[in-house]
C-alpha cells in the first residue's frame, strides 16, 4: 500500500508559535528529460511512500512517439533511473489535467485528448499501468440518458478528501460545465452543473457562479470543498456588480458543503468572490496548472493570471491580494502550477518566467496573521542547469529537520538550451525537454509549549510542558531562565499576581533561532481582596490591626519611653 505525504496544518492551541522561516539551498536536479522517451512534464510529480520504498510518479504530455508517458523515479535513485512507458490509453495531447494522490495509495489523473481516444479518468497503482477509473456509468461520454456527454471533459487540478473520493472539473467553453466526484468504487457523479446558473441576457452569456473548476481543495475537517472557476468564451463569469466600475468579471471562488452533495448536478454552490480581470487577474480556461488553490491554516491562498491572493472563509471582507507579479525588477512573472504549504507554515510556488525574460522563479509567502504577508523570490531558474518554465511544487518528506519539495520544469535542463522571446507559446518559450528537481528546506525548530492551568490564583502552581522538534541548545527566558531539554515539564509557583510569559528559544538547523511562548495569568488570592469583617485588606476600611502590627507598635512605644 502506497501513501502520499499530507502536510499537516499547524494547530497552535494555547501556545504562541513564533517559528522563524526556513531556508533553501540550491535545487538538486534529479532527472533531465531528453530527446528520447518522456518529454515536457506539465505538472510536478506526486511523492508516494510504501513501507521503506519512496518515489516520484508523474506524466509527461509528450515523448519521442505520438503519445505522452507515465513515469516513476525511485528515491533515492540507486542507479535505476527514470522508468517510463508510452501512455497510449490517454490519447494524443491529453495529459494536461490533474494528478492527485487519492489517499488510498493510488493516483488519479485525467486525460482530455485531441484525438486517439475519448476523455478518461485513470487510476494508477504504483507498479502497474494506469487503468480506467470509472465503472459507473459504463461510458461517461455517452448521451445524458446513460452518461454525461460533452460535460465529461476532465479539467483543472483535482482534489481528494481523505476518504478516497476525488473531485474534478469538467467542461468546454459555453457547454457542459460541471463539478464531478469519483468514489473509490468507480462511481462518477456530477455534483454541480454550472449550466443551471447560466442566462443569456441581451445576447450576452452570463455564468453567475463561474463555468468549470480550474483548481479544487478539500477542507477535510470541515467537510467543505473550495474551488476557483474559469471564464471561458463567455461575457460574464461571476457577479458583475462585485467588480469595480469599468472592470469585468474573470471567474469565481466558490464553496460546496459536501454534506449537501447530491448526484444530478443540483448540489448548492456559494460564490465567495468574483475576480476582477484588470484589478486582480483572471482564472483562465485550461486543463490544469495555470492557476492554483491551497489551504494554509484558516486561510485559502490562490493564484490568478497575475497575482497571488488570500481569503479567510467565513469573512466575506477578507479577500486581499498578497502580491502582484511582474511589476518589479527581478520578480517572477505569470504564476504557474500547484502551490504547497510546507511544514514551516509558508506557501511556496513557482512562476513561469521573470520580469526580465528569465527562466522562472520559486517564491515563498510567509503568512503574517492580520498583517501583510511577506513575499520573497528564493530562486531564479537557470535554463541550462535547472530547467525552464517551472510547473509548480508538491510536498515531500521531513528528515532530520529538513523537508524536501519536488517540482518539474517543462523545458531546458541541458547545456546549450536557450530561452525564447515568447513565454506564451511553449514551442518558442525555451529549448530542451524539462527536468525533475528537489528543494531541501532547513526547517525552523517546531516548538510546542503549554501551561496547565493558564489562569490561576496567587499561591497556586502551574505546569509548563514542552516539546521541540528540529532544534538544539534550548534556553528558557524571563521568569523561567536556564538550559532546557528538548522535551519536559516543570511546575512553577508564581509569587506575585499579574501576567507571566515563559519563552523557550532554540537554535535551528540553519543556525538561526526560533522561539515559542505561553502566558500565565495570576489573580490575587482571596485574602488580598480586602474589605468587610475579614480584615487584612490592603485597601483598609474599618478592620482591626493585625497582631503583628500591634506588637510592633508596642515595641516602638517602649523604646521611645526608654529614650526619654
Amino acid at each position: 500500500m502506497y501513501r502520499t505525504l499530507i502536510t499537516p496544518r499547524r494547530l497552535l492551541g494555547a501556545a504562541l508559535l513564533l517559528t522563524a522561516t526556513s531556508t533553501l539551498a540550491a535545487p538538486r536536479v534529479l532527472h533531465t528529460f531528453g530527446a528520447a522517451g518522456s518529454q515536457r512534464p506539465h505538472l510536478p510529480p506526486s511523492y508516494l511512500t510504501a513501507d521503506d520504498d519512496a518515489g516520484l510518479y508523474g506524466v509527461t504530455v509528450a515523448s519521442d512517439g505520438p503519445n505522452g508517458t507515465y513515469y516513476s523515479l525511485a528515491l533515492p535513485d540507486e542507479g535505476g533511473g527514470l522508468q517510463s512507458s508510452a501512455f497510449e490509453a490517454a490519447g494524443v495531447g491529453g495529459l494536461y489535467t490533474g494528478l492527485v494522490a487519492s489517499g488510498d495509495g493510488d493516483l488519479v489523473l485525467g486525460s482530455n485528448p485531441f484525438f486517439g481516444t475519448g476523455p478518461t479518468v485513470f487510476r494508477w497503482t504504483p507498479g502497474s499501468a494506469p487503468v480506467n477509473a470509472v465503472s459507473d456509468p459504463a461510458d461517461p461520454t455517452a448521451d445524458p440518458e446513460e452518461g454525461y456527454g460533452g460535460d465529461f471533459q476532465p479539467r483543472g487540478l483535482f482534489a481528494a478528501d481523505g476518504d478516497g473520493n476525488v473531485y474534478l472539473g469538467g467542461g468546454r467553453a459555453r457547454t457542459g460545465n460541471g463539478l464531478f466526484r469519483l468514489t473509490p468504487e468507480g462511481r462518477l457523479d456530477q455534483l454541480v452543473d454550472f449550466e443551471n446558473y447560466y442566462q443569456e441576457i441581451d445576447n450576452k452569456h452570463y455564468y453567475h457562479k463561474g463555468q468549470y473548476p480550474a483548481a479544487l481543495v478539500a477542507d477535510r475537517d470541515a467537510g467543505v470543498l473550495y474551488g476557483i472557476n474559469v471564464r471561458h468564451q463567455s461575457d460574464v463569469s461571476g457577479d458583475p456588480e462585485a467588480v469595480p466600475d469599468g472592470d469585468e468579471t474573470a471567474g469565481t471562488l466558490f464553496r460546496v458543503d459536501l454534506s449537501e452533495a447530491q448526484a444530478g448536478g443540483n448540489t448548492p454552490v456559494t460564490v465567495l468572490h468574483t475576480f476582477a480581470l484588470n484589478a486582480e487577474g483572471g482564472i483562465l480556461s485550461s486543463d490544469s496548472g495555470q492557476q492554483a488553490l491551497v489551504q494554509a491554516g484558516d486561510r485559502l491562498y490562490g493564484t490568478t493570471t497575475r497575482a497571488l491572493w488570500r481569503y479567510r472563509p467565513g469573512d466575506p471582507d477578507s479577500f486581499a491580494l498578497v502580491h502582484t507579479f511582474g511589476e518589479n525588477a527581478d520578480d517572477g512573472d505569470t504564476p504557474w502550477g500547484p502551490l504547497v504549504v510546507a511544514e514551516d507554515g509558508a506557501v511556496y510556488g513557482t512562476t513561469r518566467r521573470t520580469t526580465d525574460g528569465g527562466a522562472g522563479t520559486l517564491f515563498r509567502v510567509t503568512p503574517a496573521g492580520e498583517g501583510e504577508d511577506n513575499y520573497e523570490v528564493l530562486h531564479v531558474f537557470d535554463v541550462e542547469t535547472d530547467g525552464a518554465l517551472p510547473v509548480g511544487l508538491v510536498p515531500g518528506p521531513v528528515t532530520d529537520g529538513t523537508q524536501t519539495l519536488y517540482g518539474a520544469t517543462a523545458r531546458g535542463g541541458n547545456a546549450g538550451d536557450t530561452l525564447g522571446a515568447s513565454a506564451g507559446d511553449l514551442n518558442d518559450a525555451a529549448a530542451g525537454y524539462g527536468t525533475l528537481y528537489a528543494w531541501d528546506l532547513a526547517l525552523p525548530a517546531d516548538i510546542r509549549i503549554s501551561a496547565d492551568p493558564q489562569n490561576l490564583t496567587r499561591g497556586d502552581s502551574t505546569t509548563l510542558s514542552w516539546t521541540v522538534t528540529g532544534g538544539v541548545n534550548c534556553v528558557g527566558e524571563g521568569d523561567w531562565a536556564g538550559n532546557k531539554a528538548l522535551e519536559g515539564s516543570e511546575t512553577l509557583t508564581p509569587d506575585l499576581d499579574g501576567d507571566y510569559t515563559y519563552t523557550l528559544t532554540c537554535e535551528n538547523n540553519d543556525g538561526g533561532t526560533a522561539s515559542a511562548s505561553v502566558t500565565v495569568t495570576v489573580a490575587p488570592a482571596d485574602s488580598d481582596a480586602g474589605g468587610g469583617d475579614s480584615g487584612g485588606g490592603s485597601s483598609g476600611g474599618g478592620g482591626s490591626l493585625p497582631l503583628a502590627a500591634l506588637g510592633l507598635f508596642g515595641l516602638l512605644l517602649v523604646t521611645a519611653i526608654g529614650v526619654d
Side-chain angles (χ1 to χ4, degrees):
M1 172 70 72
Y2 278 75
R3 62 185 183 277
T4 184
L5 180 98
I6 299 174
T7 303
R9 299 190 300 274
R10 292 184 180 274
L11 301 178
L12 306 187
L16 174 62
L17 189 67
L18 300 175
T19 309
T21 55
S22 58
T23 60
L24 275 75
R28 295 182 287 115
V29 174
L30 304 176
H31 177 77
T32 300
F33 295 98
S38 301
Q39 300 171 355
R40 302 177 178 178
H42 184 71
L43 287 173
S46 287
Y47 173 82
L48 295 179
T49 62
D51 300 325
D52 295 329
D53 296 328
L56 300 178
Y57 298 84
V59 296
T60 66
V61 299
S63 70
D64 56 354
N67 304 102
T69 70
Y70 59 93
Y71 67 82
S72 63
L73 179 67
L75 297 174
D77 183 6
E78 298 180 350
L82 190 86
Q83 305 297 311
S84 67
S85 299
F87 203 159
E88 296 178 1
V92 176
L95 292 172
Y96 288 91
T97 60
L99 171 70
V100 67
S102 60
D104 55 5
D106 292 343
L107 294 164
V108 173
L109 64 148
S111 176
N112 195 13
F114 292 112
F115 57 89
T117 185
T120 312
V121 174
F122 295 92
R123 180 173 294 275
W124 183 12
T125 301
S128 60
V131 297
N132 180 22
V134 181
S135 58
D136 185 12
D139 180 7
T141 65
D143 292 339
E145 292 77 11
E146 299 180 0
Y148 299 108
D151 291 16
F152 180 68
Q153 295 199 25
R155 304 274 188 176
L157 298 176
F158 297 1
D161 64 6
D163 294 325
N165 298 306
V166 171
Y167 301 86
L168 61 141
R172 50 175 182 173
R174 293 198 298 268
T175 59
N177 297 289
L179 169 66
F180 292 87
R181 177 180 61 194
L182 176 69
T183 70
E185 297 77 25
R187 171 70 190 178
L188 184 72
D189 290 315
Q190 186 173 20
L191 301 185
V192 180
D193 185 352
F194 289 100
E195 297 293 321
N196 292 339
Y197 308 102
Y198 165 79
Q199 281 184 303
E200 184 175 338
I201 303 175
D202 297 331
N203 294 321
K204 292 186 176 181
H205 303 281
Y206 283 68
Y207 285 88
H208 296 289
K209 299 199 175 186
Q211 290 177 254
Y212 56 79
L216 299 162
V217 64
D219 184 334
R220 299 168 182 175
D221 296 331
V224 170
L225 186 72
Y226 297 101
I228 49 176
N229 269 355
V230 307
R231 174 182 169 182
H232 187 193
Q233 296 182 13
S234 64
D235 300 291
V236 175
S237 179
D239 180 3
E241 300 297 324
V243 301
D245 290 343
D247 212 328
E248 55 185 287
T249 63
T252 61
L253 168 66
F254 69 87
R255 175 185 185 273
V256 170
D257 186 339
L258 294 177
S259 67
E260 300 177 347
Q262 51 186 292
N266 295 315
T267 302
V269 179
T270 301
V271 172
L272 304 176
H273 180 76
T274 295
F275 293 97
L277 180 62
N278 299 320
E280 300 164 350
I283 310 299
L284 286 181
S285 62
S286 69
D287 294 312
S288 68
Q290 295 189 36
Q291 281 78 57
L293 182 65
V294 73
Q295 185 174 16
D298 64 347
R299 281 200 175 108
L300 300 173
Y301 284 81
T303 53
T304 66
T305 51
R306 60 189 298 263
L308 183 130
W309 53 268
R310 72 182 189 187
Y311 177 86
R312 178 183 289 114
D315 183 356
D317 298 323
S318 64
F319 183 91
L321 294 185
V322 175
H323 181 74
T324 300
F325 295 94
E327 293 187 342
N328 302 312
D330 302 322
D331 192 13
D333 193 9
T334 313
W336 196 281
L339 300 169
V340 162
V341 182
E343 288 284 350
D344 61 0
V347 178
Y348 293 81
T350 59
T351 66
R352 192 173 185 79
R353 296 292 291 265
T354 68
T355 51
D356 59 357
T361 68
L362 187 146
F363 65 84
R364 171 171 62 198
V365 172
T366 305
E370 298 303 321
E372 293 186 4
D373 295 345
N374 181 52
Y375 167 85
E376 54 188 326
V377 173
L378 299 174
H379 180 72
V380 176
F381 284 81
D382 181 274
V383 62
E384 295 182 85
T385 58
D386 304 327
L389 312 184
V391 294
L393 298 165
V394 294
V398 176
T399 305
D400 297 329
T402 297
Q403 184 177 16
T404 302
L405 305 182
Y406 295 101
T409 64
R411 296 289 189 275
N414 295 284
D417 285 345
T418 58
L419 291 169
S422 172
D425 186 345
L426 280 177
N427 294 322
D428 295 333
Y433 302 99
T435 63
L436 299 179
Y437 62 87
W439 284 85
D440 295 321
L441 289 72
L443 295 174
D446 183 5
I447 305 174
R448 309 297 175 99
I449 181 171
S450 62
D452 185 21
Q454 276 191 267
N455 297 283
L456 59 150
T457 302
R458 184 158 61 89
D460 294 339
S461 299
T462 185
T463 298
L464 300 183
S465 300
W466 69 93
T467 60
V468 179
T469 303
V472 295
N473 301 329
C474 299
V475 177
E477 300 177 11
D479 299 302
W480 184 48
N483 295 330
K484 306 298 177 183
L486 297 181
E487 182 176 0
S489 63
E490 289 186 25
T491 299
L492 304 173
T493 305
D495 54 4
L496 297 173
D497 54 9
D499 289 337
Y500 289 76
T501 298
Y502 301 99
T503 300
L504 184 63
T505 299
C506 305
E507 293 181 8
N508 293 325
N509 292 321
D510 62 0
T513 61
S515 299
S517 302
V518 64
T519 298
V520 173
T521 300
V522 181
D526 291 342
S527 59
D528 296 337
D533 295 332
S534 61
S538 60
S539 58
S544 58
L545 288 173
L547 292 178
L550 290 174
L552 179 60
F553 177 79
L555 177 61
L556 292 173
L557 179 62
V558 170
T559 302
I561 293 174
V563 172
D564 291 341

